[in-house]
Amino acid sequence: MTSDINPRAEQYRELRDPMRDLCAQFDSHYWQAVEAEDAYPEAFVRALTDAGWLAALIPEEYGGAGLGLTEASVILEEINRSGANSGACHAQMYIMGTLLRHGSAEQKARYLPRIAHGELRLQSFAVTEPTTGTDTTKTKTFAEKRGERYLVNGQKVWISRVQHSDLMLLLARTTPLAEVRKKTEGLSIFLVDLHAALGHGLSVRPIRNMVNHETNELFFDNLEVPAENLVGMEGQGFRYILDGMNAERILIAAECIGDGYWFVDRARAYAGDRIVFDRPIGQNQGVQFPIARAYAAVRAADLMRYEAAGLFDAGRPCGPEANMAKLLAADASWEAANVCLETHGGFGFAAEYDVERKFRETRLYQVAPISTNLILSYIAEHVLDLPRSF
Amino acid sequence: MNIIVLVKSVPDPAAKVGVRDNKIVEDGLAWEANPYDENAVEEAIRLKEKYGGKVTLITLGPKRAEETLKKMLALGADEGILVSDPAFEGSDELATARILAAAIEKAGGYDVIWAGWTGVDWNQGIVAQAVAEYLGVPHVSFVTKFEVNGQTARCETEVEGGREIIEVDLPAVLTAMQTLNEVRYASLKNIMAVKRKTIPTWGAADLGINPAEVGKGAAHHHLMKLIPPPERAAGRVLKGAPEETVQELVRALREEVKVL
């Protein structure tokens, strides 16, 4: 009998089993080859898309599976648990949420079925700018209305998967900061057709980075966006973005949980097999205690993840829980990554063990999509009523 | 086109199977669809996609086999029927085929019936052909390629050292080889659709089968003893100078292992 260190593995078996079957076809060799070539895991993303997994959150009326966030989170958890990295495609699952919640009936009918079907990839969202970081209301990229179109000028950074997307959402100021009553007003969201935009006002410069993750700098130079591509009401874009953040945090937390279990699994297997001084290294408390502690942290974070996802699915406020789930899960996966690397000793640094790759990948969750410190600020200010620190 | 697929639930081929009291130990054993049956289901779905119609899966087995049936339904089949009755337990291959044939008749009209070429559990490869006999339709085994031409079908099959091309009248029973196709992944939509499906269970009474004529009591052959394969003995390392060890190796291969 194969025992699973995740006691919830029996829950959502109907999702976990087929996900595990699919992910098993993309094994260690596959991911190492993709990594070695710095390539996009196209075959993996295609298989996920064709089987409809990335359309989990799209309502059935638009051709998706209409699942809840808890179930969607299980899907991403299993991707990371398998040794893969959801980062290549998770955004296809949730970026459409902005369109779903705030797009016009015509926009939804036009795009959502094709996104659900996998014909169109909407997995980029251009928000962050070089000089504003998380201070989103200071967004400088400006979209000026000229008749039936907007002219966009500005710059974005850390915009992922642009080269593997057909569509991108863009946040831009439509009213200058100096002219709005509240700084959160005057920001708008646009749907950008990347094929039409590239070379016609949009240029993309890839950023080489610590992991095999396609992310870019974007430069907008009089990019024309049809007025019909405005999502929701002009000036309300900031609110629309906030709407999607809790979902994103819960999904990312689940990816961290998948990583956490992967690291603990690998660490315990290696500690049990590796014989030094005539006994398995896992017999030493100095080796086993950190693994046990990391496991406990993953389990605890997983509880917060399910709590947050449950609240979200019930339509109840879940900001604190979603943020804490992301914080705890990212910390737990990072602790597990360290322990796993430590347990493997020198072999942990060898690419063929996958540990160093996953180690680098899970490190990102401390920083993106929201840094740990900003979550702590959120908890201090919004949950504990402490004075705002920035 | 109405297509019926016979699906068997078998122990995970990768699992280590234990034996106790002349039975395999089922505790903790994972059950899956017989791998060749997956190819059969895939082919059936491809036929439906091409010609329209319906794919019905039929599984004979205990209640737990329903999970296997659901997994196969998630590939895109329309209906699943579990054929289950305590009276069926211990049926031999002929009785199994009789029960399945009765279930196929009850399921209604069919144009094609698919099954895997053998079950990886007992590896008999008998049932599908016997089903064809009971139904009075032709069968073609070991199919690696299948094309429908009106009322007939062209089948390529594997034979020792070559291939055979067979034209068969429809309806017919066909058995699938692994090379017939590549099995798709279950899609999320189908997985969710399966949750809404009800899987009827048909017993002896539903099929008009006399319990005395099937099951262990009516079997023509009986399992006398089930013996697990012997544990692999530890290997032997020959030590010494190459001249001596080579001589000893040749001697051992000749006299002990008797392969030379």
Side-chain angles (χ1 to χ4, degrees):
Chain A
M1 185 174 172
T2 50
S3 63
D4 198 308
I5 59 168
N6 178 1
R8 290 185 186 252
E10 284 303 309
Q11 288 178 340
Y12 305 103
R13 278 282 300 275
E14 75 282 6
L15 300 173
R16 293 187 199 271
D17 284 352
M19 270 310 291
R20 288 181 181 189
D21 288 347
L22 189 154
C23 290
Q25 305 300 314
F26 299 90
D27 58 5
S28 178
H29 296 294
Y30 174 80
W31 290 102
Q32 283 167 27
V34 167
E35 177 87 4
E37 290 165 19
D38 227 358
Y40 187 73
E42 185 62 43
F44 175 70
V45 176
R46 180 47 55 199
L48 278 177
T49 309
D50 286 348
W53 292 102
L54 299 179
L57 288 168
I58 299 180
E60 286 181 288
E61 59 178 305
Y62 296 113
L67 296 187
L69 195 73
T70 308
E71 289 138 317
S73 78
V74 168
I75 294 169
L76 295 178
E77 175 194 339
E78 287 298 334
I79 292 177
N80 279 41
R81 174 73 193 267
S82 78
N85 178 13
S86 297
C89 56
H90 54 192
Q92 175 79 352
M93 209 183 234
Y94 56 79
I95 285 182
M96 66 80 210
T98 303
L99 198 59
L100 176 66
R101 286 185 295 271
H102 306 293
S104 67
E106 198 269 328
Q107 285 171 332
K108 288 193 271 190
R110 184 167 169 199
Y111 294 110
L112 289 178
R114 295 172 69 197
I115 293 168
H117 196 250
E119 277 170 56
L120 286 179
R121 282 183 184 163
L122 169 58
Q123 48 179 3
S124 290
F125 203 153
V127 176
T128 309
E129 299 190 352
T131 54
T132 54
T134 312
D135 196 358
T136 308
T137 59
K138 299 258 174 65
T139 291
K140 292 191 179 67
T141 298
F142 201 86
E144 186 188 351
K145 190 150 190 208
R146 294 261 187 95
E148 286 308 299
R149 63 206 163 103
Y150 286 84
L151 272 189
V152 182
N153 282 286
Q155 190 180 345
K156 297 281 178 183
V157 71
W158 304 120
I159 312 307
S160 299
R161 299 165 293 266
V162 175
Q163 296 162 67
H164 297 92
S165 295
D166 302 290
L167 301 168
M168 175 179 79
L169 289 184
L170 166 70
L171 182 78
R173 273 227 161 263
T174 40
T175 310
L177 189 56
E179 294 172 23
V180 290
R181 280 184 302 123
K182 283 166 69 181
K183 62 180 181 178
T184 51
E185 290 175 355
L187 289 158
S188 303
I189 290 178
F190 298 92
L191 190 63
V192 176
D193 177 341
L194 284 167
H195 300 293
L198 279 168
H200 299 94
L202 171 64
S203 51
V204 175
R205 187 188 297 162
I207 304 171
R208 283 185 56 78
N209 58 81
M210 182 170 147
V211 289
N212 176 22
H213 180 75
E214 188 234 295
T215 192
N216 310 278
E217 278 183 285
L218 305 185
F219 302 89
F220 299 90
D221 182 13
N222 284 328
L223 171 72
E224 290 188 13
V225 178
E228 64 185 37
N229 284 19
L230 174 73
V231 178
M233 282 160 54
E234 189 183 290
Q236 296 300 307
F238 188 76
R239 188 165 61 80
Y240 300 161
I241 288 194
L242 290 185
D243 278 359
M245 281 183 176
N246 288 336
E248 185 186 46
R249 274 163 211 186
I250 294 165
L251 292 173
I252 297 293
E255 291 177 19
C256 294
I257 296 296
D259 275 353
Y261 281 127
W262 186 90
F263 284 120
V264 171
D265 241 348
R266 284 297 176 101
R268 70 159 182 158
Y270 190 81
D273 288 345
R274 172 73 169 157
I275 308 287
V276 180
F277 300 118
D278 301 323
R279 59 194 208 151
I281 59 169
Q283 199 174 334
N284 302 311
Q285 291 186 338
V287 172
Q288 62 181 225
F289 282 11
I291 303 174
R293 187 175 288 278
Y295 175 65
V298 174
R299 289 277 308 269
D302 204 13
L303 294 177
M304 186 61 85
R305 165 268 187 112
Y306 280 107
E307 165 127 351
L311 287 169
F312 186 98
D313 283 334
R316 293 168 58 192
C318 64
E321 290 76 12
N323 275 285
M324 287 189 284
K326 156 62 173 69
L327 170 82
L328 295 171
D331 281 353
S333 78
W334 179 231
E335 180 183 351
N338 262 314
V339 166
C340 186
L341 190 72
E342 196 73 26
T343 305
H344 280 73
F347 290 99
F349 289 80
E352 68 176 288
Y353 281 77
D354 298 310
V355 175
E356 59 85 33
R357 171 176 59 83
K358 292 283 281 181
F359 177 92
R360 286 180 282 117
E361 286 168 355
T362 217
R363 181 64 179 80
L364 180 65
Y365 294 125
Q366 294 283 318
V367 176
I370 179 76
S371 88
T372 295
N373 282 348
L374 279 159
I375 291 184
L376 292 171
S377 297
Y378 173 91
I379 296 168
E381 183 187 337
H382 295 282
V383 183
L384 302 177
D385 276 339
L386 290 166
R388 185 177 170 87
S389 59
F390 55 87
Chain B
M1 178 173 279
N2 282 335
I3 308 140
I4 288 175
V5 189
L6 304 177
V7 174
K8 188 176 190 186
S9 181
V10 299
D12 173 7
K16 192 169 189 285
V17 177
V19 173
R20 195 191 305 139
D21 301 333
N22 279 336
K23 284 182 184 161
I24 64 166
V25 182
E26 294 195 2
D27 300 343
L29 206 54
W31 295 81
E32 293 180 355
N34 180 42
Y36 308 116
D37 298 352
E38 292 190 23
N39 295 100
V41 174
E42 173 66 38
E43 197 66 17
I45 295 169
R46 289 184 189 195
L47 288 170
K48 182 186 89 163
E49 285 168 351
K50 195 165 176 187
Y51 299 105
K54 189 174 84 169
V55 175
T56 305
L57 310 184
I58 299 181
T59 292
L60 171 59
K63 183 75 182 158
R64 62 162 161 67
E66 198 175 286
E67 285 310 306
T68 303
L69 199 47
K70 282 182 181 168
K71 279 191 184 175
M72 289 298 99
L73 276 168
L75 293 181
D78 300 282
E79 286 177 24
I81 297 159
L82 180 68
V83 180
S84 194
D85 195 311
F88 297 158
E89 281 174 28
S91 290
D92 63 10
E93 287 76 14
L94 278 181
T96 299
R98 241 189 96 190
I99 298 162
L100 286 170
I104 291 167
E105 297 280 20
K106 183 175 161 68
Y110 51 85
D111 301 294
V112 180
I113 297 165
W114 277 100
W117 72 272
T118 190
V120 296
D121 48 358
W122 297 103
N123 235 342
Q124 300 290 308
I126 294 172
V127 170
Q129 293 82 344
V131 166
E133 289 302 315
Y134 280 119
L135 293 173
V137 299
H139 68 81
V140 180
S141 299
F142 317 122
V143 177
T144 56
K145 202 171 172 196
F146 184 74
E147 280 169 23
V148 175
N149 300 313
Q151 293 306 302
T152 63
R154 182 181 181 276
C155 310
E156 279 187 31
T157 70
E158 263 181 26
V159 290
E160 192 100 356
R163 284 181 307 148
E164 255 180 3
I165 313 284
I166 296 169
E167 193 180 75
V168 64
D169 292 337
L170 298 180
V173 174
L174 306 139
T175 69
M177 299 287 283
Q178 199 169 14
T179 48
L180 176 65
N181 51 42
E182 195 172 326
V183 182
R184 72 192 61 198
Y185 299 113
S187 79
L188 181 54
K189 245 179 164 177
N190 286 331
I191 290 165
M192 301 322 290
V194 170
K195 285 179 116 176
R196 292 191 279 261
K197 285 190 165 103
T198 48
I199 295 178
T201 302
W202 292 349
D206 300 301
L207 300 175
I209 285 178
N210 178 358
E213 293 174 6
V214 293
K216 199 173 175 186
H220 295 288
H221 63 73
H222 300 277
L223 179 73
M224 304 304 289
K225 203 161 174 57
L226 189 62
I227 306 161
E231 291 286 329
R232 264 177 69 179
R236 178 147 68 101
V237 178
L238 303 177
K239 287 181 180 161
E243 302 79 34
E244 292 162 22
T245 50
V246 167
Q247 283 206 347
E248 171 57 14
L249 177 64
V250 172
R251 188 204 61 77
L253 289 173
R254 266 206 186 114
E255 294 170 20
E256 291 175 28
V257 198
K258 298 190 171 111
V259 293
L260 292 181

